[in-house]
Every structure is written in structure tokens, then in C-alpha cells.
Amino acid sequence: MQRLYDFLRRHPTGVDVFWAVVLLGLSGMSLASGMYVSRRETLLAIPVALGLSTVVALRRRLPEKTLLLAIAVGLCQLLFDVRPGIGNFAMLVITFTVATIGERWASRLALVCSLSAAALSQLRWSAEPGGSWPQQVFVTVIMTVPFVLAWVMGDSLRTRRAYFSQLEERAARLEREREAQSKVAVAAERARIARELHDVVAHNVSVMVVQADGAAYVMDTAPDQARQALTTISSTGRQALAEMRRLLGVLRTGDAPESGEYVPQPDVEQIEELIEQVRRTGLAVDFKVEGTARPLPSGVELTAYRVVQEALTNTRKHGGPDAGASVRLVYFDDGLGLLVEDDGRGAAHELYEDGGADGAGHGMIGMRERVGMVGGTLDAGPRPGGGFRISALLPLKPAE
């Protein structure tokens, strides 16, 4: 049964032609039964039946034109005195069709014709000659009701189809917006991972290089210091691998979890550990916390840690020999302040602004992006008297 229904939906014109043939056959049977008394009226009824059958056959392909054809046939019946027959059922069909899928002007014209057709028919062919006018009004109303109902049903179906079409369009638009938001989220996540990887690699590899150079320098004269440097290289490398494993694990959503250590994201409390690690590389760092320490949003804590890490890494790279640095954390009522300064020779300010101190575009630009993501502000530049200063203010409330 479903296959038959699907076939009929795929061939609407064929269905209409079938019913047009049925209607034409019934009209022919009416003519053969002697419905019309005069031969003239019988001959005129034949083209009328053909025209109304054509209306049914082409109603969905040409709704407006078939409506005009039905009106023309009706006017011809009035002019040439051809009484309505079974073929006039086509006028109900075309009224419903035009109200459903036709143009608005055609729908309004069909409504006007529906309201006037019964009255014109009653005036032209009275059912009971000599009957009272209340009877004629009653018959007119009874004949008008089917046409009006056909138009109302068609217009309601049009409205329902338009409503469902709007729902489908809205669902498709929401789906497109959801896909676009997913792509933006993926791009943002990739950018975040790129920044994380830069911070991990730039900091830890820099520490490992410094320690390796120091170990090679004192290998023969101070084996204990060389051994200490190698131990630092080993622990720093393990820490870097653990952080990189955590970050890359985000990209392996469909794979089995990789064995190994997964460390949480760094926070403000780990800044002191970071500074101790930097001190072991030979860089003197003064660390001070002002204000009352309290829990902060995870995004603010990670941003503060990465800003300090990047600033100290740049000091180690560009500060020169015997450079010193200071780190200040200040807890305000509505934010966290960071101040990282060094007294080395530093790198050119333009180098920071034009692509990052590491030459890969993730130095100062990455810092600004991190601070901007939490709604904070960052200021960086040469310090009066030499060295470099980086200051940031991170709000405790999410950015608008």
C-alpha cells in the first residue's frame, strides 16, 4: 500500500488525468440518459464537459489558467442556457486547488466566484419556478456552502504548508549556524592548543638547552654540578612530555586513552614552582605576592601562569648574562595584576610586536590573545633604564 501511495505522489498529473477521465465518463452517461431535453442543449453540453474535464486534468500544472478556463465555461453555460451537470464538480476542485497552491490573486478570484456562482445559477435556473424568495435564498446558501468550504480548506492547507516550510527553513538555518559554530570552536581549540604547545616547548626546551650547555661546560671540572644539570634536564623533559601528552590527548577523541601521566592545567599556585625551576637554571628571580590569595577562575589562573612562563622564557633568551627578573602578583578586589620585569638588555620591542620573540608568531601575540580571551589588558615594552616590562590585569569575571 505504501508503494502505491508513493507512486501516486510521484505522478500527480497522472492521478488528475485519471479523475478527469472518470468525470468525463460520468458526464457522458448523464448526456446519454437524456438529462437535457433539447438537442441544442445536449450538443452544447459536450464542449462544456470536455472543458471541465480539462480543468481537472491540468489543475496542478496550471492552476491559474485552469481557473480562468472554469470561469469561462461557467459564463458560457449562463449565456447559452446549459444547465449545470455532474461535470460542474470540477469547479469545486479548482477552487480548492487554487486556494492551496495558486497565486494570491487567483485565490481571491476563486473566493469571489464561489460566493456568486450559486446565486447566478439560482437566478438563471430556478429549481422550482414560482417558488417563494425565502426558498430561493435557502437553496442559494446551501449551494454556496460547499464552494466556501472548499476554498477555506485549501487556504488552510496553504497556511499549514507555509508554516512547515518556515519550520524546515529555520531548522536548516539553525543546523548551518550550528555547523559554523562548531567550525569556529574547532579553530579556537586548535589555536588554544597551538598556544599551549608553544608555551610548553618554548619554556621547557629553553631550560633544557641552558642546563645542557652548563653541564657540558662543567663536565670535567665540576661533575656534581653537571649531574645536577642532567637531573634538571630529565625532570624538565618529563614535565614537557606530560603536558604535551595532555594537550595532544584532546585531539584523539576516538582513540583509546594513552598510558602515561596526565597533569592538570597549571594554575597560580604552580607559579612558585615555575620560578624555582627557573632559578635552578641560573636566572635570579624575585617573587612576591601582594593581597589576599583566593581561588580564581581556571581561565584566569592558566593565563597568569602562561604569561609569567613566557615572560621568564624571553628573559632567559634575550636578557643576556647576569640578567635578573622580578615577578609580582597582586590580588585586587575585582582582578589579578601581574608585573614581570627584568634588568637585562632585552630584545627589540618591535620583535615582540611583529611576530613574537621566538620568531614563530606565538610570543607576545600569544600573550595578548590569552589575556584578551579572559577580558584583560596587557602592556609590554622596554623599561626605563634598560630591560623589559610586562604588566597584565586579569578580571575575575568572564569577559562580555
Side-chain angles (χ1 to χ4, degrees):
M1 192 65 183
Q2 184 63 33
R3 292 182 179 179
L4 176 61
Y5 181 70
D6 293 339
F7 175 82
L8 295 179
R9 289 189 63 183
R10 290 195 302 268
H11 303 84
T13 303
V15 176
D16 293 339
V17 170
F18 170 78
W19 289 115
V21 172
V22 171
L23 186 63
L24 183 62
L26 294 176
S27 298
M29 292 173 61
S30 298
L31 292 175
S33 64
M35 175 181 177
Y36 300 104
V37 179
S38 65
R39 181 179 179 82
R40 169 185 168 279
E41 191 174 3
T42 302
L43 293 176
L44 290 175
I46 294 176
V48 169
L50 291 174
L52 295 175
S53 299
T54 302
V55 169
V56 175
L58 301 179
R59 68 184 185 94
R60 275 186 276 201
R61 292 178 63 90
L62 304 170
E64 293 83 10
K65 294 181 180 179
T66 49
L67 173 65
L68 297 177
L69 176 60
I71 295 175
V73 171
L75 292 176
C76 289
Q77 288 183 267
L78 291 174
L79 292 176
F80 297 102
D81 194 19
V82 180
R83 287 175 296 171
I86 193 171
N88 288 97
F89 180 78
M91 295 184 176
L92 278 174
V93 175
I94 191 59
T95 298
F96 170 81
T97 303
V98 170
T100 304
I101 62 175
E103 299 290 340
R104 278 299 181 184
W105 66 266
S107 177
R108 296 189 184 96
L109 179 60
L111 178 61
V112 172
C113 294
S114 299
L115 295 173
S116 59
L120 293 174
S121 176
Q122 187 65 18
L123 291 175
R124 188 72 171 85
W125 304 286
S126 177
E128 295 182 4
S132 61
W133 68 267
Q135 292 178 342
Q136 294 181 355
V137 170
F138 178 76
V139 172
T140 300
V141 171
I142 293 299
M143 293 175 61
T144 302
V145 168
F147 286 93
V148 175
L149 288 178
W151 186 89
V152 170
M153 290 176 59
D155 190 70
S156 300
L157 184 58
R158 175 202 290 269
T159 303
R160 184 178 179 184
R161 287 179 177 176
Y163 173 71
F164 282 116
S165 177
Q166 290 180 355
L167 289 181
E168 291 176 357
E169 181 182 357
R170 183 180 302 173
R173 185 172 63 252
L174 290 176
E175 184 66 23
R176 291 193 298 268
E177 291 177 357
R178 189 178 301 111
E179 291 178 358
Q181 291 174 357
S182 299
K183 292 180 180 178
V184 171
V186 169
E189 183 65 14
R190 288 177 177 174
R192 185 190 70 82
I193 293 174
R195 288 192 298 268
E196 292 283 332
L197 287 174
H198 163 265
D199 293 336
V200 171
V201 173
H203 172 74
N204 292 288
V205 172
S206 176
V207 172
M208 293 167 66
V209 169
V210 171
Q211 293 294 319
D213 290 341
Y217 182 75
V218 299
M219 180 67 71
D220 297 330
T221 59
D224 292 338
Q225 294 183 12
R227 188 178 297 107
Q228 178 68 28
L230 292 175
T231 302
T232 303
I233 292 173
S234 177
S235 62
T236 303
R238 286 191 178 93
Q239 180 182 356
L241 287 175
E243 291 197 40
M244 290 178 65
R245 189 180 295 117
R246 172 181 61 82
L247 293 172
L248 295 177
V250 178
L251 303 177
R252 297 175 179 149
T253 55
D255 300 340
E258 185 180 346
S259 60
E261 180 185 4
Y262 287 85
V263 298
Q265 289 188 350
D267 53 24
V268 173
E269 294 181 358
Q270 295 182 10
I271 292 180
E272 188 171 359
E273 298 178 8
L274 172 66
I275 292 175
E276 288 297 330
Q277 183 187 43
V278 173
R279 285 171 178 167
R280 289 197 295 268
T281 66
L283 179 64
V285 182
D286 178 39
F287 178 57
K288 185 178 295 185
V289 178
E290 299 177 7
T292 304
R294 59 185 180 278
L296 303 174
S298 58
V300 172
E301 295 208 6
L302 177 61
T303 299
Y305 181 90
R306 293 304 187 195
V307 168
V308 174
Q309 184 184 54
E310 178 67 22
L312 294 178
T313 299
N314 290 335
T315 298
R316 219 174 18 246
K317 286 183 179 180
H318 308 288
D322 301 326
S326 64
V327 178
R328 296 288 184 274
L329 266 66
V330 183
Y331 286 89
F332 299 106
D333 293 337
D334 57 352
L336 176 67
L338 291 174
L339 178 63
V340 183
E341 296 179 308
D342 66 68
D343 54 8
R345 64 173 182 264
H349 182 252
E350 293 77 7
L351 181 60
Y352 285 95
E353 295 294 335
D354 295 339
D358 59 348
H362 291 288
M364 188 60 60
I365 293 178
M367 272 199 233
R368 293 192 185 279
E369 289 181 354
R370 284 187 180 278
V371 174
M373 287 175 62
V374 296
T377 58
L378 183 139
D379 183 30
R383 198 177 66 155
F388 206 82
R389 173 190 290 130
I390 294 176
S391 62
L393 180 60
L394 309 178
L396 299 186
K397 295 183 179 179
E400 293 294 335

